[in-house]
Amino acid sequence: MSRRHILAAAPSLALMGCSRAPTASPVIDLPSLKSTAPFPVGVCAMTGHLDDPAWVDLVSTHFSQLTPEWEMKMERLVRDDGTLDFTASDRLADFCADQRMRLFGHTLIWYAQEHPWFQALPEDRFATEHDRYVRTTVERYRGRAVGWDVVNEPVAEDGNGYRECLWSRRFGGVDGYIRRAFDVAREADGEAVLFLNDYNLENNPTKGASYLRLVERLLAAGTPITGLGTQSHLDITIPEGQITAFMRELAGFGLPIHVSELDASLESGRRVDVRSDATRESQQRDRVVELAEAFMALPPAQRWAFTVWGARDSDSWMRLREDGGGPNDRPLLFDDRGRPKPVAADVAQIFAGG
Ligand code: G3I
């Protein structure tokens, strides 16, 4: 446990190991994260959150950037007939404008969303329709979306190689589909920062290395990647230093870096997991602190944004997962009632340059 922890954790230290229930969070008077950090602090959202005053209050206090969690993706935008429905994404964009938050577009092309309408397209229409979808979507939010995850998760799950998908099959391989998406997005918006985004880059050094090699190859070929996204769905059992090592290598490209989807599950997905809640919470704090410190150590021009994948534990996608996560998971900075956890105080202190 880092020094920072011991200072901030004193109240919960006394409770550690006293019961299987989550350690009672000490009352924490957390300064506004967005006011403390010298860079945008982001959160993901869906339109259902906008009708929850407690969520709006928490988010407007602490966050300055918003990523649509799913409603700016193909699964929501593309109707069965190929026309586009921006109702939900427009509502999120309007919320950002009202709250003076930055809007971050997520995500245009993703192996996990091979929409049936695209799958059914004849060969001679595919490229035109792909380009129309990317261009129409990016142009709609030009001047409002400060950046885009143009391509999401191109690296193979285990890090050995890259994912084949509808897009790679239609555009001549991995580099072909990624280049196409970035070129069309760049034509549609000359200002937005264009990101290649992936996960487990810190957790799995093989995958992190494959991502770095892909970025190097794409940039050398002239692909207009202008930002690098590391999702940071952290495995809290990874060795200390692994996160820092990857962030340092990522910084080597000199591009803006987005910690784009931070959460840190307490659940391993293993059938038997004997760790106490106190151990899990301590591991979680250690890894989140390491990530925040590694991000803060970047040159200011590369600290693009630090985004958490949910405001409150109860908002987390992890609660719906069966393979790790689950209904009792507590992966975020604020608990189910929106109360800040000790790890949130750690992050605020780091962002403040403490
Ligand atoms: O809200 C609707 C509900 O009204 C409807 O009845 C139901 C059945 O269709 O769908 C509900 O929407 C679901 C939404 O999550 C809200 O729960 C969508 O179907 C479902 O696809 C969506 O899942 C999202 C997933 O990406 C796929 O888009 C998760 O919220 C989101 O957290 C997850 O986020 C991804 C990132 O984009 C990329 N990195 C990994 C991350 C976690 O998987």
Side-chain angles (χ1 to χ4, degrees), residues 5-15:
H5 275 174
I6 292 167
L7 297 177
S12 52
L13 279 174
L15 295 167

Short mmCIF file of all heavy atoms in Angstrom, two decimals, residues 5-15:
data_model
loop_
_atom_site.label_atom_id
_atom_site.label_comp_id
_atom_site.label_asym_id
_atom_site.label_seq_id
_atom_site.Cartn_x
_atom_site.Cartn_y
_atom_site.Cartn_z
N HIS A 5 -1.95 6.02 0.48
CA HIS A 5 -3.07 5.22 1.00
C HIS A 5 -3.15 5.28 2.51
O HIS A 5 -4.19 5.48 3.10
CB HIS A 5 -2.85 3.75 0.65
CG HIS A 5 -3.32 3.42 -0.69
ND1 HIS A 5 -3.12 2.20 -1.25
CD2 HIS A 5 -3.97 4.15 -1.61
CE1 HIS A 5 -3.64 2.18 -2.45
NE2 HIS A 5 -4.15 3.36 -2.68
N ILE A 6 -1.98 5.04 3.12
CA ILE A 6 -1.99 4.90 4.58
C ILE A 6 -2.56 6.16 5.20
O ILE A 6 -3.40 6.12 6.09
CB ILE A 6 -0.56 4.60 5.09
CG1 ILE A 6 -0.17 3.19 4.62
CG2 ILE A 6 -0.49 4.72 6.60
CD1 ILE A 6 1.29 2.87 4.78
N LEU A 7 -2.21 7.31 4.63
CA LEU A 7 -2.72 8.58 5.19
C LEU A 7 -4.23 8.66 5.02
O LEU A 7 -4.97 8.97 5.90
CB LEU A 7 -2.05 9.77 4.45
CG LEU A 7 -0.52 9.84 4.62
CD1 LEU A 7 0.04 10.98 3.79
CD2 LEU A 7 -0.17 10.03 6.08
N ALA A 8 -4.67 8.28 3.81
CA ALA A 8 -6.11 8.49 3.53
C ALA A 8 -6.95 7.35 4.04
O ALA A 8 -8.15 7.43 4.14
CB ALA A 8 -6.32 8.64 2.02
N ALA A 9 -6.27 6.23 4.34
CA ALA A 9 -7.07 5.02 4.62
C ALA A 9 -7.27 4.80 6.10
O ALA A 9 -7.97 3.88 6.51
CB ALA A 9 -6.37 3.79 4.05
N ALA A 10 -6.69 5.65 6.93
CA ALA A 10 -6.72 5.38 8.39
C ALA A 10 -8.12 4.96 8.86
O ALA A 10 -8.27 3.95 9.49
CB ALA A 10 -6.23 6.62 9.14
N PRO A 11 -9.19 5.70 8.50
CA PRO A 11 -10.50 5.28 9.03
C PRO A 11 -10.84 3.83 8.61
O PRO A 11 -11.28 3.04 9.40
CB PRO A 11 -11.47 6.27 8.39
CG PRO A 11 -10.63 7.44 7.99
CD PRO A 11 -9.29 6.89 7.67
N SER A 12 -10.59 3.51 7.31
CA SER A 12 -11.05 2.17 6.91
C SER A 12 -10.06 1.11 7.38
O SER A 12 -10.42 -0.04 7.54
CB SER A 12 -11.20 2.10 5.39
OG SER A 12 -9.99 2.55 4.78
N LEU A 13 -8.81 1.50 7.64
CA LEU A 13 -7.85 0.50 8.13
C LEU A 13 -8.41 -0.17 9.38
O LEU A 13 -8.33 -1.36 9.57
CB LEU A 13 -6.49 1.16 8.44
CG LEU A 13 -5.56 1.40 7.25
CD1 LEU A 13 -4.34 2.18 7.69
CD2 LEU A 13 -5.13 0.06 6.65
N ALA A 14 -9.03 0.65 10.20
CA ALA A 14 -9.53 0.08 11.48
C ALA A 14 -10.60 -0.96 11.20
O ALA A 14 -10.81 -1.89 11.97
CB ALA A 14 -10.13 1.21 12.31
N LEU A 15 -11.27 -0.82 10.03
CA LEU A 15 -12.39 -1.74 9.76
C LEU A 15 -11.94 -2.94 8.94
O LEU A 15 -12.68 -3.88 8.74
CB LEU A 15 -13.47 -0.98 8.96
CG LEU A 15 -14.12 0.18 9.72
CD1 LEU A 15 -14.92 1.05 8.76
CD2 LEU A 15 -15.03 -0.39 10.80
#
